[in-house]
Amino acid sequence: MITRNIASGLAKKTKFEQFDESSPYHKLRENKSQMQTIMTYFDESSGGFENGRVSFAYFQKWMLIELGISVLTILILGLSVIQYEMEFDEVISQSLQGMILWVIFALEIILLFMTYIRYVAFLEFQKKRNVILNEENLISSGLYIDMLQEFLILLPHPNPFLHSVKFKMVNQALGSTYEHNVNEIMNLFQLLKVMVIIRVVLMLSTFFTTSAQRVCSMYAVKPGYLFVIKSLMKAHPFQVLFVALIWSILLFAQALRICERPLNRNDLNMNFGEYKNAIWNVLVTMTTVGYGDYYARTDFGRIVAFFICIWGVCVVSLMVVTLTNFLNMGVLETKAFSIVERLVTKKEVRETAYDLVSHVLRMTVKSRRGQTIPKSDISMLRRKINDFKAINRQYKSMLDDATNISEEMARQFEFLREEIKKSVETQDKITENAELLTHKMDKINRLFQDDLKSKQGGYNPNPGPRNLESSGVQGVYMNSADGKKAQAN
């Protein structure tokens, strides 16, 4: 394609310029070799253009690892919840809790190893997409920073080494102390692992496929989780908000329950040991109602309540905006509404005019019969006239708006028609120039082949301008259009 563009540019030169050794035509092969050298370097350094099948295979491998990580995360969270409930059940033996903690510890090690494998697979996928060079690794590409941050999120978990470790805290509201197990705090922080599950759910969306990422790259858009969230909010706003609301209520309720439940060892006034009480407190806090029947009394619980307030404001704001956008009319809906409103107003004008005329006729009949017209009829007539003028004025304004819209649409259609006409004319000119350029290129190729044959001593059935004198047809050729161009050159 590149050599074809260069050749088309050379076709604008004269016929005999290409026989000159200093002509760009003789440097075409050198330029072509330079292009091949550049493309070879590009292929070796960045892998060339993206191979869709190869990148899709690496994407499937990456997704398989992500699904494995999500399954491990769900298992760890489920076992942690079971072990947390055992902490407040005196019937269950400590040995069973210790066994569950060892299982959680083993799964946590596997999870960290799978996370490392995940970043290696993601690095290979980015290489196949030509986003990074083939020589890059986790350190040079900067992915190790994200990996370390994810390790910090995944690392907190209840483990057997901290099973019997406790610490005391002072509660200002109760004026007493209470105990916290370290594994309870680990249970609190490991709720952040839900972000891994949310990430996998976003990756399963149609807006995160390899084709979607290629489209984003074409339009200079960063394909990532934020783009997927925006796309889902654009396509399914109510479903996304409903799922986010439900999951956030359950998650924050568990976090608040972990923080406030140790107080139940000393005080049972606010029993956060029951999950429904925690859910009720989260609902009241997120909607900024705050009944005050349940509230956080510990320091950790108040921190969690602060994040509940922030998240509640965000969710409620998004719901208001989504509902407002949903109730806004589109262009066609607005057009239909205007027409229906105009028809209703026209009907009201007709009914008002009929009522006015009927009242005038009744007053006329009374005056012809010599009856006295009461003042109430005169005041009613004035009121009906004013009503008719008001509704008629409203109908005329609607007609004027409709006329302006029609005129504007007519102007836009006329402008569009002119643009299409210009585009068609431009396309015809381009086609004509392309045909002329192709014809000139054919002539140049024939002349070049004939010149090569003449230099090699072969017979030339179509003599060029250099042997016209010997052929005896110089006069005829000079009188032709090509002969005049050759003479001028």
Side-chain angles (χ1 to χ4, degrees):
M1 185 65 186
I2 298 174
T3 56
R4 187 181 299 174
N5 293 336
I6 297 175
S8 62
L10 293 176
K12 297 180 181 180
K13 304 293 182 180
T14 58
K15 295 181 180 180
F16 308 101
E17 183 182 357
Q18 299 184 18
F19 294 100
D20 188 6
E21 294 182 356
S22 62
S23 173
Y25 184 81
H26 293 280
K27 298 181 180 180
L28 182 60
R29 293 184 178 180
E30 297 179 1
N31 295 335
K32 184 177 180 181
S33 63
Q34 293 177 1
M35 293 290 182
Q36 291 177 352
T37 304
I38 294 173
M39 294 303 296
T40 302
Y41 174 76
F42 175 74
D43 292 338
E44 293 177 354
S45 59
S46 62
F49 297 102
E50 179 184 356
N51 190 336
R53 294 182 179 179
V54 175
S55 61
F56 179 74
Y58 277 84
F59 178 77
Q60 292 292 330
K61 178 181 177 181
W62 177 34
M63 278 294 301
L64 184 62
I65 297 173
E66 287 282 1
L67 290 175
I69 291 175
S70 64
V71 171
L72 287 174
T73 305
I74 293 172
L75 287 176
I76 292 174
L77 290 175
L79 291 175
S80 299
V81 171
I82 294 174
Q83 188 275 331
Y84 173 74
E85 295 298 329
M86 291 180 178
E87 289 282 346
F88 295 88
D89 195 345
E90 298 178 355
V91 178
I92 300 176
S93 62
Q94 296 292 326
S95 60
L96 182 58
Q97 296 186 35
M99 185 179 64
I100 294 177
L101 290 174
W102 278 109
V103 173
I104 294 173
F105 181 71
L107 292 175
E108 185 70 24
I109 294 176
I110 299 174
L111 178 61
L112 295 176
F113 178 73
M114 289 288 292
T115 302
Y116 171 76
I117 299 299
R118 178 228 177 227
Y119 275 92
V120 173
F122 176 70
L123 179 67
E124 295 297 327
F125 172 66
Q126 293 294 87
K127 289 180 181 179
K128 297 304 176 183
R129 288 193 62 242
N130 301 327
V131 177
I132 58 178
L133 300 179
N134 292 327
E135 294 80 9
E136 297 285 347
N137 51 31
L138 289 176
I139 297 177
S140 60
S141 62
L143 290 176
Y144 75 97
I145 299 176
D146 297 335
M147 185 176 64
L148 293 177
Q149 292 176 355
E150 189 166 345
F151 281 163
L152 292 177
I153 294 174
L154 298 177
L155 195 58
H157 67 283
N159 57 79
F161 306 104
L162 303 175
H163 181 45
S164 59
V165 180
K166 300 180 180 180
F167 63 95
K168 293 183 178 181
M169 295 189 68
V170 178
N171 185 263
Q172 299 293 337
L174 298 178
S176 61
T177 60
Y178 63 97
E179 288 185 346
H180 256 306
N181 291 334
V182 176
N183 277 339
E184 293 175 359
I185 304 302
M186 291 297 176
N187 270 309
L188 175 63
F189 283 104
Q190 81 161 354
L191 292 177
L192 294 175
K193 292 178 182 177
V194 178
M195 297 172 60
V196 177
I197 303 174
I198 296 174
R199 182 181 66 192
V200 175
V201 172
L202 294 178
M203 291 179 65
L204 294 174
S205 172
T206 56
F207 300 102
F208 200 80
T209 58
T210 53
S211 58
Q213 295 186 31
R214 281 194 293 269
V215 171
C216 291
S217 301
M218 290 170 56
Y219 289 94
V221 177
K222 184 179 179 181
Y225 305 112
L226 183 60
F227 172 75
V228 177
I229 293 174
K230 291 180 179 179
S231 302
L232 291 175
M233 282 294 297
K234 186 73 174 178
H236 313 287
F238 288 105
Q239 292 87 335
V240 172
L241 287 176
F242 179 76
V243 172
L245 180 63
I246 297 299
W247 275 98
S248 60
I249 290 174
L250 298 177
L251 182 66
F252 282 121
Q254 180 64 18
L256 193 62
R257 187 164 172 256
I258 293 173
C259 296
E260 297 294 322
R261 195 173 183 181
L263 292 178
N264 293 339
R265 297 186 177 103
N266 302 327
D267 183 16
L268 294 176
N269 289 330
M270 297 184 186
N271 187 11
F272 276 93
E274 295 185 8
Y275 197 59
K276 61 181 181 180
N277 294 335
I279 290 177
W280 170 251
N281 180 260
V282 172
L283 282 172
V284 171
T285 306
M286 288 183 66
T287 55
T288 66
V289 177
Y291 281 114
D293 50 353
Y294 288 92
Y295 55 89
R297 294 180 293 176
T298 63
D299 295 335
F300 288 114
R302 290 170 179 174
I303 294 173
V304 173
F306 169 76
F307 287 105
I308 293 173
C309 293
I310 299 299
W311 177 249
V313 171
C314 295
V315 172
V316 172
S317 301
L318 288 174
M319 285 185 175
V320 171
V321 173
T322 303
L323 186 61
T324 303
N325 294 333
F326 176 75
L327 295 178
N328 285 335
M329 287 188 175
V331 177
L332 298 178
E333 291 176 336
T334 305
K335 182 67 175 178
F337 169 76
S338 301
I339 294 174
V340 172
E341 188 182 22
R342 191 162 61 247
L343 292 175
V344 171
T345 307
K346 183 178 181 181
K347 183 178 179 181
E348 291 179 357
V349 170
R350 189 184 299 111
E351 292 176 353
T352 306
Y354 175 78
D355 192 14
L356 176 62
V357 172
S358 299
H359 189 74
V360 171
L361 290 177
R362 285 196 295 269
M363 293 179 62
T364 304
V365 170
K366 288 181 180 180
S367 63
R368 287 182 178 180
R369 291 179 179 178
Q371 299 177 0
T372 304
I373 300 176
K375 293 183 179 180
S376 59
D377 291 347
I378 297 175
S379 61
M380 185 178 295
L381 176 63
R382 293 176 180 176
R383 186 169 61 253
K384 290 181 180 297
I385 291 174
N386 293 331
D387 293 341
F388 176 76
K389 288 182 178 179
I391 194 68
N392 191 37
R393 191 180 304 111
Q394 181 181 356
Y395 180 69
K396 286 183 177 180
S397 64
M398 290 182 179
L399 291 179
D400 293 338
D401 294 338
T403 304
N404 294 332
I405 293 174
S406 302
E407 292 177 355
E408 181 65 23
M409 291 179 63
R411 285 195 297 268
Q412 293 295 332
F413 276 117
E414 185 66 26
F415 176 75
L416 184 61
R417 189 182 296 109
E418 293 294 332
E419 291 293 328
I420 294 174
K421 185 178 179 181
K422 291 180 181 179
S423 300
V424 172
E425 293 178 354
T426 305
Q427 185 177 3
D428 294 339
K429 291 181 181 179
I430 292 174
T431 305
E432 184 180 355
N433 292 333
E435 293 177 354
L436 181 62
L437 188 61
T438 304
H439 182 66
K440 289 184 178 180
M441 282 296 300
D442 293 338
K443 285 186 177 181
I444 291 172
N445 291 331
R446 287 197 300 269
L447 290 173
F448 182 70
Q449 293 176 1
D450 295 344
D451 186 71
L452 289 177
K453 289 180 180 179
S454 63
K455 288 182 179 180
Q456 294 175 358
Y459 174 72
N460 188 359
N462 297 318
R466 294 186 178 180
N467 55 3
L468 286 176
E469 295 180 359
S470 60
S471 62
V473 292
Q474 179 181 6
V476 178
Y477 180 78
M478 290 300 174
N479 290 329
S480 63
D482 295 336
K484 291 181 180 179
K485 291 182 180 179
Q487 186 177 8
N489 291 331

